Amino acid sequence: MKKITLTRAVNEALREEMQRDPNVYIQGIGLRAVAPNSLTGGLHDEFGSQRVRTAPMDEPLIAGSCVGAALAGMRPVAELHLADFAFCALDEIISKAGKWRYMHGANNGMMLPIVFMQTIGGYVGGAAEHSQSPVGFYMHAPGLKIVVPTTPYDAKGLMKSAIRDDNPVLFFTHKLLGGTEGEVPEDDYLVPFGKAEVRRAGNDVTVVATSYMVSLALNAAQSLAEEDVSVEVIDPRTLEPLDLDTIVQSVRRTGRLVVVDEDTMRCGVGAEIGFQVMERCFSDMKSPVLRVGNPDLPVPYSPVLEKAVLPSSSKIQAAILRTLNPS
Amino acid sequence: MKPSTEQMLGLYKMMVRSRAFEEMVAEQVQKGHVPCSWMSGIGQEGTMAALCQLRSDDHMTYTHRGAYSFISRGSEPSRLLAELFGKSTGYCKGKGGRHIADLEHGVMGKSGAIGSHAPIAVGMATAIQIRGGDQVVISLFGDGTSNRGTTHSALNTSALWKLPIVWICENNGYAGAIPSADFTTFKAASDMAAAYGIPGISIDGNDPLTVYAVAGEAITRARKGAGPTLIELKTYRVGAFAIGAKDLRDPEEIMAWKQRDPIERLRRQLLEMDLLSEQLIASIDQEARIEMDSAVRFAEESPFPNPEDAYQDLYA
Ligand SMILES: Cc1ncc(C[n+]2csc(CCOP(=O)(O)OP(=O)(O)O)c2C)c(N)n1
């Protein structure tokens, strides 16, 4: 085992997969000149400009050409940088990558092994167009797998699984998680999709949190432990496929659920997971499912306003307490 | 680049088969057997003179118009029609309709949003470049589609990366009911090439032998690694935008273009060269009709998919 950052873990996964499989290549804006400690640092020097392609500043081209390359037998990785910018390539991601195989009836075993890397997250004074976390937005679209890693171990193993997957995968790294340190094995390993991880065991309330929200939820759980409230925190790790069983098992025990996601709540991750749990656990529920998330506003700039809109540990604590004392 | 006798005859037969397929589909649409709209390619078969030069390991992206691109690559009319009927024996098992994929013949699928093919062609060519092969990509787009950002994106990147792509703009003068001149200041689509520093040429798309020669040079250039070319084929769709749609164009203009039919043109030339006889012409027509009749039987007799098949094929 060695201790590395989450960014480094993703970087190692990319490097090792490129070494393993000549069909893997990566393209994105500025890749020839990225910082050594960034997600794609050092890759250009090691693999050259054919396999680490510095693309024009043109997201539809970057994402759409991945679809063509995948059809031609490659395993492209698109580094799209901020999720806010990836919106420029929605036709390519949602309608081309996500639906191509299905629309063509999987003709001759057609596959689209593509990884779309996106960085998400607020809390950095980025305002409305440099702060988005539209993970739930993509959950709405069929045909896309969705990865939201929270630890270096998971990030590396999930990125390897993403590259080896024969389907399009969206890989979301949070701005505030890049520096998170953690243990990672020296040897090759994979983290499978569709398996949630219980980050903290508890009996009173289940909290499902995504990406950076997991650390906020763990802080909230820690504080509430001092008040004798026992909180279970579940990190789904992938939202498509979603490990609903792990969540359902927990809620059957606790009877209470809070879902925390950084994005706007309407039609979001919380709405979806909350509803699916309600469909399966209605009679086990002791209180209504609650959501913590952005109250359907663009993320504002001023720290005071940003704090008002984005989730925090104290907002999560308040929601947990409300499930215990529903009025 | 001049085609051999065999290649010219092969091209002629292919064009006749494509026309026969289109006429048969038009009939089936009118009978109500095709639950989607069909944008007939009649009149634009000159493009086949470029596509017929692709090797089986080359790639192509195609537009919403016509069936000539599939027929050029070797797709079977029976399975094409079965797909249009929504039958389980269609190339996409009834999930795609006119969005056809036939990987075995190098038909990689169709984007419903037109113009999104251009970046896909860039990706196919990128794959070729990374692997170091000498395959090429032909990417078709209409004059209306030339205005999409993705078309310009892809031209830019293909020029920058010297990708092995032959861009073919099939300029039929209209996008829907609107003449091309109403949505761009480019005089010829090939002028776009100048903006990206690649060779661009505008030619008569209804003259198959000229198309063959010009496309052949562009393909050779791409195979050698010398980069992309943009060819504009000036052509015309003889029918309305889609079968059954109202045609607002000047009937005299339509008549004038009918006189310039690419199949008739090639036929005349081949007759002059003594490569065709009236008898051979009749037997080629006859063969195409028989093939299309059997395609109709195949499509009619094929079963529809089961409702539960809707749940399959999302993920590999
Ligand atoms: C992105 C997108 N916008 C609009 C349409 C609807 N549409 C289909 S064909 C067409 C006109 C295309 O014109 P052109 O490229 O000149 O081809 P033509 O039909 O003339 O052959 C339009 C607007 C579409 N399919 N995709």
Side-chain angles (χ1 to χ4, degrees):
Chain A
M1 288 281 192
K2 58 187 174 188
K3 211 168 184 187
I4 56 172
T5 64
L6 187 142
T7 299
R8 178 80 197 160
V10 172
N11 184 271
E12 283 188 2
L14 292 169
R15 171 175 291 106
E16 289 169 22
E17 289 306 294
M18 287 185 76
Q19 285 165 348
R20 192 185 58 81
D21 182 351
N23 289 322
V24 179
Y25 76 97
I26 183 162
Q27 60 182 4
I29 297 167
L31 294 195
R32 197 167 62 219
V34 293
N37 60 354
S38 64
L39 291 165
T40 55
L43 297 179
H44 182 267
D45 287 350
E46 181 170 344
F47 298 101
S49 54
Q50 278 295 324
R51 288 181 68 202
V52 180
R53 301 180 84 90
T54 302
M57 200 195 81
D58 188 345
E59 287 76 10
L61 189 285
I62 293 167
S65 66
C66 287
V67 173
L71 289 168
M74 302 295 285
R75 291 185 171 269
V77 178
E79 161 57 311
L80 293 166
H81 302 287
L82 296 196
D84 312 67
F85 313 151
F87 278 161
C88 297
L90 281 188
D91 173 52
E92 284 69 26
I93 298 172
I94 289 187
S95 296
K96 302 297 100 66
K99 300 178 170 66
W100 199 271
R101 175 183 155 87
Y102 183 87
M103 181 165 73
H104 297 105
N107 176 275
N108 247 28
M110 172 187 279
M111 305 189 307
L112 286 105
I114 308 168
V115 180
F116 296 108
M117 295 168 66
Q118 301 188 28
T119 302
I120 53 172
Y123 307 93
V124 293
E129 281 191 69
H130 288 82
S131 300
Q132 298 177 81
S133 305
V135 173
F137 184 88
Y138 291 101
M139 257 177 110
H140 189 65
L144 300 167
K145 297 194 178 178
I146 299 171
V147 184
V148 275
T150 59
T151 68
Y153 177 90
D154 282 357
K156 184 168 180 181
L158 287 166
M159 177 53 97
K160 288 192 168 213
S161 293
I163 292 173
R164 295 183 201 183
D165 201 287
D166 290 333
N167 300 286
V169 178
L170 305 185
F171 193 94
F172 293 100
T173 341
H174 197 284
K175 288 171 194 132
L176 297 190
L177 289 179
T180 307
E181 291 199 332
E183 303 248 299
V184 168
E186 301 285 349
D187 294 339
D188 186 42
Y189 69 97
L190 297 173
V191 172
F193 288 180
K195 269 206 70 57
E197 185 77 22
V198 177
R199 295 287 176 203
R200 182 189 174 107
N203 299 317
D204 299 330
V205 181
T206 303
V207 175
V208 174
T210 58
S211 190
Y212 176 59
M213 300 301 103
V214 172
S215 58
L216 298 183
L218 287 171
N219 288 344
Q222 184 64 36
S223 304
L224 289 173
E226 288 154 26
E227 298 172 30
D228 273 342
V229 178
S230 166
V231 176
E232 179 143 302
V233 178
I234 298 176
D235 174 359
R237 305 199 287 188
T238 61
L239 292 169
E240 167 68 9
L242 175 69
D243 180 3
L244 191 63
D245 287 345
T246 296
I247 299 169
V248 162
Q249 273 160 29
S250 173
V251 174
R252 291 225 159 106
R253 229 171 354 90
T254 61
R256 299 179 181 91
L257 175 66
V258 175
V259 188
V260 192
D261 182 68
E262 186 174 331
D263 197 19
T264 41
M265 281 188 283
R266 188 166 54 215
C267 304
V269 175
E272 180 58 30
I273 292 180
F275 206 91
Q276 288 196 36
V277 167
M278 189 275 288
E279 285 171 330
R280 294 213 7 212
C281 305
F282 188 66
S283 56
D284 304 296
M285 301 300 293
K286 296 174 188 148
S287 69
V289 178
L290 292 183
R291 290 173 294 173
V292 179
N294 174 329
D296 303 319
L297 294 166
V299 179
Y301 166 67
S302 167
V304 175
L305 301 175
E306 192 187 51
K307 201 169 157 211
V309 166
L310 293 180
S312 63
S313 287
S314 57
K315 289 180 193 175
I316 298 170
Q317 277 184 55
I320 293 169
L321 292 174
R322 248 183 302 144
T323 64
L324 289 163
N325 308 294
S327 51
Chain B
M1 195 155 301
K2 246 186 83 70
S4 67
T5 301
E6 204 179 305
Q7 284 165 331
M8 280 190 277
L9 277 177
L11 173 60
Y12 176 74
K13 279 185 202 162
M14 224 183 229
M15 291 170 80
V16 169
R17 285 175 63 232
S18 177
R19 178 70 57 92
F21 183 83
E22 295 278 8
E23 285 167 349
M24 175 269 285
V25 171
E27 215 172 279
Q28 295 301 320
V29 170
Q30 259 132 24
K31 282 186 180 163
H33 293 170
V34 177
C36 68
S37 62
W38 179 252
M39 288 82 164
S40 167
I42 290 183
Q44 297 190 195
E45 294 92 343
T47 306
M48 298 178 90
L51 294 173
C52 72
Q53 298 180 65
L54 289 176
R55 298 194 315 228
S56 62
D57 61 341
D58 289 331
H59 296 306
M60 166 194 79
T61 72
Y62 62 96
T63 75
H64 57 290
R65 186 155 301 290
Y68 46 84
S69 37
F70 323 126
I71 304 277
S72 298
R73 299 238 72 187
S75 298
E76 293 163 31
S78 54
R79 294 194 63 196
L80 291 170
L81 187 67
E83 186 59 39
L84 294 181
F85 276 29
K87 298 295 184 79
S88 64
T89 53
Y91 276 115
C92 309
K93 300 188 276 191
K95 289 202 172 88
R98 62 175 185 265
H99 311 82
I100 299 284
D102 171 13
L103 261 48
E104 197 191 331
H105 292 107
V107 178
M108 309 296 251
K110 175 177 138 47
S111 167
I114 55 176
S116 306
H117 294 105
I120 291 175
V122 165
M124 292 168 171
T126 301
I128 294 166
Q129 188 176 69
I130 292 174
R131 290 175 165 161
D134 72 341
Q135 299 107 289
V136 299
V137 183
I138 289 185
S139 183
L140 308 177
F141 59 97
D143 47 292
T145 309
S146 71
N147 298 295
R148 271 207 65 198
T150 45
T151 306
H152 289 266
S153 282
L155 283 168
N156 179 54
T157 303
S158 70
L160 183 73
W161 288 350
K162 278 197 173 217
L163 293 173
I165 305 182
V166 179
W167 300 107
I168 295 185
C169 175
E170 301 178 270
N171 182 357
N172 60 17
Y174 292 84
I178 313 294
S180 330
D182 288 14
F183 42 69
T184 182
T185 53
F186 281 119
K187 292 281 179 288
S190 57
D191 289 353
M192 282 164 54
Y196 299 104
I198 62 171
I201 180 169
S202 291
I203 56 172
D204 181 354
N206 285 12
D207 178 0
L209 294 181
T210 300
V211 174
Y212 194 100
V214 171
E217 266 175 53
I219 291 171
T220 306
R221 204 179 109 78
R223 280 209 206 289
K224 284 195 309 216
T229 302
L230 171 54
I231 302 170
E232 176 184 33
L233 303 182
K234 302 238 188 232
T235 183
Y236 199 77
R237 60 169 159 77
V238 169
F241 171 74
I243 289 172
K246 215 175 163 132
D247 200 340
L248 303 170
R249 297 171 307 174
D250 178 1
E252 275 181 34
E253 178 184 286
I254 299 173
M255 271 316 292
W257 276 95
K258 276 189 176 165
Q259 308 307 313
R260 298 175 54 185
D261 185 82
I263 300 181
E264 274 174 32
R265 182 137 172 195
L266 185 60
R267 186 187 301 137
R268 265 201 316 277
Q269 287 167 321
L270 296 183
L271 276 167
E272 276 163 26
M273 290 183 233
D274 265 343
L275 296 177
L276 274 183
S277 62
E278 293 301 338
Q279 199 186 350
L280 190 50
I281 291 170
S283 81
I284 291 171
D285 286 346
Q286 167 85 351
E287 245 172 69
R289 260 196 310 275
I290 292 172
E291 186 185 12
M292 300 314 148
D293 287 348
S294 89
V296 172
R297 268 198 309 280
F298 176 83
E300 279 174 351
E301 286 164 12
S302 289
F304 279 104
N306 297 315
E308 55 269 27
D309 295 343
Y311 290 87
Q312 281 168 15
D313 299 329
L314 187 59
Y315 290 122

